[in-house]
Amino acid sequence: MACNNEEWQVAGRRKGAARRGQHPSNPKLDSHQVSDCKLDKQKMTNAMNELRGEDVWMEWRDLLSKRLLSNASGSSDLNGDASLQHCVCYGLGNFASCVSSRYQLAMLLLLLETLQIPVGSCSVYDPVFSASECDALKELGFTVLTENEEGKRPVYQPTLFYLMHCGKALYNNLLWRNWTPQTLQKIIIIGNRFHGIQERMLQREFERDYSFLSNVTSVCDETPLPCAPRFMDVFNDTALIQFPLEKLNKLPETMWIEPSEPLYQHCQDLEIIQRERKS
């Protein structure tokens, strides 16, 4: 599509994107930035109100409520006893100018509301966010990260990761950073189907370059999420992905020993913008 989340995916073709996306450290905003912030926030409010009346949202709401919210008896598909109170979102893109990104952010806001996750407990980051977009996100209540984590975020409590059309390396890095069965079971992803990623790659390259992603594809639970034709460019090939402990324990024990950090030496197009390394 014309404007999707390729800001995270195609670093090689947009080398200046990371620098352009950094917002100034000066907390004082000029009148133009304030105006842009208000406009961005209004666009988001409009998109959220529009999406709320769509069948695709109602289907997502019903499915995810059933899978992720504890019911009256206290049961849900969440692993462990803790409720879902944390969320991380990477790679939304420029939602002020891109309609697809705007609907994805609107969906995130509706999900947080439905899943009873405080907006302030949701951290968001994309290196291409403009200053006004960062300010709009803060106005909406989000925690805006200032560091490019490359997906390498440690998880300590059940956490929802909202990763719409993000690069394979981002998923792979997240899995590597939390590479134990006990920790992976706390991760819930709404993002690209792992099996879809596998189908679009040569198996040998998938196993070589994205080994953590490759290793869990056979044992994760994927629940496809509905996508209406109107929103095909926005929510296509999206699934709820979970990692049941009983399935993770079926993998060989040797697979969990001393996992090496991914280096992606053979990847010419890594699909994510990496943070600058200090020499």
Side-chain angles (χ1 to χ4, degrees):
M1 52 187 161
C3 60
N4 57 15
N5 296 328
E6 290 185 353
E7 291 88 352
W8 262 96
Q9 298 175 22
V10 193
R13 292 196 293 270
R14 297 193 55 179
K15 295 180 180 179
R19 288 191 298 274
R20 291 196 302 272
Q22 293 174 349
H23 52 284
S25 58
N26 186 353
K28 296 182 180 180
L29 301 177
D30 60 31
S31 58
H32 293 292
Q33 287 175 296
V34 172
S35 178
D36 288 345
C37 174
K38 290 181 178 179
L39 180 59
D40 294 346
K41 186 178 177 183
Q42 185 59 50
K43 287 179 179 178
M44 274 312 310
T45 302
N46 293 342
M48 188 177 175
N49 291 336
E50 182 182 350
L51 192 59
R52 197 188 295 272
E54 294 285 342
D55 289 342
V56 65
W57 156 243
M58 298 175 192
E59 292 172 346
W60 278 44
R61 179 196 61 195
D62 294 346
L63 189 155
L64 294 172
S65 295
K66 181 179 179 181
R67 296 296 300 268
L68 302 179
L69 277 180
S70 298
N71 57 31
S73 64
S75 64
S76 72
D77 286 354
L78 282 175
N79 296 296
D81 298 325
S83 62
L84 186 60
Q85 287 294 305
H86 300 276
C87 178
V88 178
C89 171
Y90 296 130
L92 274 173
N94 294 116
F95 58 88
S97 57
C98 177
V99 175
S100 296
S101 297
R102 200 174 306 148
Y103 279 125
Q104 288 169 358
L105 179 51
M107 180 66 86
L108 174 59
L109 284 163
L110 292 174
L111 287 175
L112 294 176
E113 180 183 286
T114 297
L115 299 176
Q116 302 169 25
I117 301 174
V119 178
S121 297
C122 182
S123 300
V124 296
Y125 182 80
D126 194 314
V128 305
F129 282 154
S130 67
S132 65
E133 286 172 327
C134 288
D135 292 321
L137 289 167
K138 292 174 185 176
E139 287 281 331
L140 290 165
F142 288 101
T143 299
V144 180
L145 302 176
T146 58
E147 178 183 351
N148 185 351
E149 300 176 337
E150 299 179 348
K152 300 171 184 176
R153 168 169 283 239
V155 170
Y156 304 103
Q157 296 176 310
T159 302
L160 172 66
F161 284 84
Y162 189 76
L163 310 175
M164 300 297 293
H165 301 318
C166 287
K168 296 181 287 294
L170 204 67
Y171 294 101
N172 200 54
N173 288 347
L174 174 63
L175 296 171
W176 164 76
R177 188 62 183 83
N178 298 281
W179 195 245
T180 69
Q182 293 73 24
T183 305
L184 287 179
Q185 69 166 334
K186 299 176 182 177
I187 292 176
I188 299 157
I189 295 174
I190 293 178
N192 301 83
R193 290 189 312 111
F194 286 4
H195 287 89
I197 294 173
Q198 182 182 38
E199 291 163 4
R200 291 188 291 271
M201 290 193 68
L202 293 174
Q203 186 62 26
R204 60 181 177 81
E205 293 181 358
F206 187 48
E207 295 174 358
R208 180 195 67 195
D209 299 334
Y210 305 101
S211 60
F212 300 97
L213 193 53
S214 170
N215 287 333
V216 299
T217 297
S218 63
V219 294
C220 67
D221 278 353
E222 285 190 348
T223 305
L225 293 170
C227 181
R230 178 188 170 195
F231 295 100
M232 191 59 65
D233 286 344
V234 186
F235 302 120
N236 65 304
D237 200 38
T238 302
L240 169 69
I241 303 168
Q242 296 173 281
F243 306 93
L245 184 60
E246 62 272 16
K247 289 190 176 182
L248 293 171
N249 285 335
K250 292 180 181 179
L251 295 174
E253 291 186 10
T254 54
M255 190 173 288
W256 306 103
I257 300 174
E258 298 182 0
S260 299
E261 183 172 1
L263 297 177
Y264 307 109
Q265 294 174 321
H266 302 284
C267 298
Q268 294 182 347
D269 185 358
L270 190 53
E271 301 182 333
I272 68 169
I273 296 173
Q274 295 178 290
R275 62 174 176 264
E276 293 184 5
R277 264 54 177 181
K278 295 181 180 180
S279 56

